Amino acid sequence: METLPFHMDHVPEFFMKKCELELKETPENKVKSIEELRTMLKTGDKKISRVDFHEDLLVQYLRRNKYDVKKSFKHIQNCIALRKKPGNIFGSIPDEYFSSKISTQAIAVLPKRCPDGCTIIVFKLGLWNTNELPFEDFKRMAMLTFLQILRDPMNQINGFKFIHDFSGTSIHHLKYCTPQTLHLLYHSSLHCLPGRYKEIHCLQDSFVLKTLWTVAKFIVSEKN
C-alpha cells in the first residue's frame, strides 16, 4: 500500500505480478499474442496492412484488453479510423503554448499515484479560456497528453482515475459540449485508445455538469 510517485523508472515486482494475474501477461503469452496481433494487422485489414506498428504500442492494446487479441485488433482499427477523420485531433500544438497559455493548465497529472498504482488526472475545465486556446487545439492537447502518459508501463497496467472539477465553468464552455463532442470523447476513450479507466469523480456541481450529464447518460453504456 505504498504511495508511489507518478514518475518511475521501473515497474515494481508487485505490479508485474498484478500484470500477470489481472491482464494475463506472461513472457510466453506476450510473444505469442504480439505475433498473432501482427498477423491480424497484416492480413485482416487492407487499409492498415502496410502500417508498421511498434511492439510497445501493440502491448498497450493487449494489456488494455487483457490479452484478448481480437479485441485489441478491433481497438487498433478504431484508432486508425479516428486518425483519418477531419480535424486531426492527433496533431500537435506549439510547445510554447505550455509556457504562455494558462489554458494548458486545465489538464494536470498528480505527482503521486493511488496506493493501487493508478495515475490520477485532474481536469479543470474552468481554466480553459476559449478565447485564448481554440477548441481544436484544446482537444489536441488532451489527446497528446493522454497518449504520452499511456507509454508508461505502470499506467498501462494500473490504469487511471479522473477528477473533473467544474468550478469556473460557464456558458462559454457549454457551447462546445455538443452531443457530437461527447460522443467523440466517449468513443475515442473507450473504443480507440488503450487506456484502462478505474474511477471518474466530478466536483463542484454546476449547470454545465447538469447539462453534460443530461446528454451523456444517453451515450454511455449501462456499465459506465
Side-chain angles (χ1 to χ4, degrees), residues 34-167:
I34 289 174
E35 288 305 312
E36 288 181 6
L37 185 53
R38 283 195 187 280
T39 300
M40 291 184 71
L41 291 167
K42 290 292 185 183
T43 62
D45 190 333
K46 293 182 179 180
K47 296 179 181 178
I48 59 177
S49 61
R50 296 184 178 181
V51 179
D52 183 19
F53 293 95
H54 290 184
E55 182 175 308
D56 60 345
L57 181 65
L58 300 183
V59 171
Q60 288 182 37
Y61 280 96
L62 288 168
R63 285 173 171 169
R64 161 65 177 80
N65 293 288
K66 297 183 178 180
Y67 275 78
D68 185 316
V69 176
K70 291 183 179 180
K71 286 185 178 179
S72 300
F73 172 65
K74 183 60 178 177
H75 259 93
I76 294 174
Q77 281 184 309
N78 292 339
C79 188
I80 295 297
L82 182 64
R83 291 182 69 98
K84 293 181 178 180
K85 288 187 176 182
N88 188 21
I89 61 172
F90 289 87
S92 62
I93 61 175
D95 290 347
E96 57 267 21
Y97 279 17
F98 292 96
S99 59
S100 62
K101 297 183 184 294
I102 295 178
S103 296
T104 57
Q105 299 176 22
I107 304 174
V109 182
L110 296 193
K112 295 286 186 179
R113 297 175 179 273
C114 285
D116 60 7
C118 281
T119 288
I120 306 171
I121 302 177
V122 180
F123 287 87
K124 293 187 176 182
L125 189 61
L127 289 180
W128 172 37
N129 183 337
T130 58
N131 294 318
E132 177 190 52
L133 188 66
F135 184 45
E136 294 303 315
D137 283 343
F138 183 78
K139 289 191 292 185
R140 293 184 184 111
M141 178 186 70
M143 179 63 75
L144 70 87
T145 299
F146 197 51
L147 288 175
Q148 181 65 20
I149 59 179
L150 266 172
R151 299 175 63 187
D152 186 337
M154 279 290 288
N155 300 332
Q156 298 166 16
I157 295 168
N158 299 297
F160 302 88
K161 297 179 182 180
F162 297 95
I163 299 174
H164 293 273
D165 184 348
F166 285 87
S167 59

